[in-house]
Amino acid sequence: MKKSYGIIIGIVVIVFVLYRFFAGFYNTAVTYQENAKTAWSKVESAYQRRADLIPNLVNTVKGYAAHEKETLEAVIKARASATQTKIDPSNITPEQLAKFQQAQQGLSGALSRLLVTVEKYPDLKADKHFLELQSQLEGTENRIKVERDRFNDAVNKYNIHIKRFPGNLLAGMFGFKEMARFQSEKGAEKAPKVQF
């Protein structure tokens, strides 16, 4: 009788330990995955803030440089493309990130051309509203960088958790897959050429 109680207690302890092991891995993976998704939503939010500033910036520039129609239209078109490119945070792939980044890079390039165009208009460069918008845009660019770094940190934590042994054996069983990190554009390691 005592022997059967010992076997039952042993089985209960083994089941409890296995439950804690599997549940611990699963719950931690879910937490890290959700943190990475939240971090991605903050990246998108920072990009959305930039997109929201652009119509005001374009309208301000339009008042001073109406004949720069081609440059202004390029910014508007790039903004539309950037805001239409969305990523499913539950399945972030390198291909999706590349597409998103390409759209954002197109907007960044159009904005750069617009700001270079502004150099031709001293009255615009001195306009209080324009200077405030330009300052907000610079601050937003910094926010974007910070949020991308935080996203990569969250993804890194998640990816390490599901790749380390013995978690790597459980990850496939529970359907956890590696998440893609935000990477810089090709050629970003080279300093841009500035000419005056």
Side-chain angles (χ1 to χ4, degrees):
M1 190 76 161
K2 286 185 179 182
K3 191 175 185 178
S4 62
Y5 281 130
I7 293 173
I8 292 172
I9 290 173
I11 291 172
V12 168
V13 168
I14 291 171
V15 168
F16 179 74
V17 168
L18 287 174
Y19 169 78
R20 294 289 296 170
F21 173 71
F22 283 95
F25 169 82
Y26 183 85
N27 291 338
T28 302
V30 167
T31 300
Y32 290 162
Q33 187 179 52
E34 291 304 313
N35 288 345
K37 289 178 188 178
T38 299
W40 177 252
S41 69
K42 290 179 180 180
V43 169
E44 287 184 321
S45 176
Y47 277 114
Q48 184 62 50
R49 176 175 160 66
R50 178 175 75 169
D52 292 345
L53 288 171
I54 290 171
N56 293 333
L57 185 67
V58 167
N59 286 335
T60 301
V61 172
K62 195 184 294 183
Y64 285 88
H67 62 280
E68 299 286 353
K69 185 177 180 184
E70 186 177 311
T71 304
L72 295 171
E73 286 176 354
V75 171
I76 293 167
K77 183 179 177 184
R79 178 189 180 270
S81 175
T83 55
Q84 289 174 357
T85 305
K86 299 289 183 197
I87 291 181
D88 175 10
S90 63
N91 186 29
I92 297 175
T93 64
E95 295 78 22
Q96 289 174 323
L97 271 179
K99 186 177 177 185
F100 180 85
Q101 196 168 352
Q102 184 179 14
Q104 295 302 329
Q105 197 63 30
L107 180 54
S108 294
L111 277 174
S112 294
R113 288 188 295 281
L114 176 66
L115 294 176
V116 166
T117 300
V118 166
E119 294 297 318
K120 299 177 192 174
Y121 303 95
D123 291 344
L124 175 59
K125 288 190 330 184
D127 181 78
K128 180 182 173 186
H129 188 63
F130 174 77
L131 292 173
E132 183 181 314
L133 284 169
Q134 189 175 22
S135 175
Q136 287 182 28
L137 196 57
E138 288 169 3
T140 299
E141 292 298 331
N142 289 333
R143 286 180 189 179
I144 289 169
K145 191 241 183 276
V146 167
E147 295 304 339
R148 285 190 311 216
D149 288 347
R150 288 179 180 163
F151 168 72
N152 280 346
D153 289 342
V155 167
N156 192 49
K157 202 170 193 178
Y158 166 76
N159 284 346
I160 287 171
H161 181 69
I162 66 166
K163 286 181 166 185
R164 287 172 63 184
F165 182 82
N168 60 343
L169 302 174
L170 302 176
M173 186 169 67
F174 289 126
F176 292 109
K177 296 177 183 169
E178 182 178 4
M179 291 178 83
R181 290 174 184 82
F182 208 102
Q183 297 179 352
S184 63
E185 286 288 313
K186 290 181 181 179
E189 71 280 355
K190 297 175 187 169
K193 199 175 203 180
V194 179
Q195 295 178 348
F196 293 102

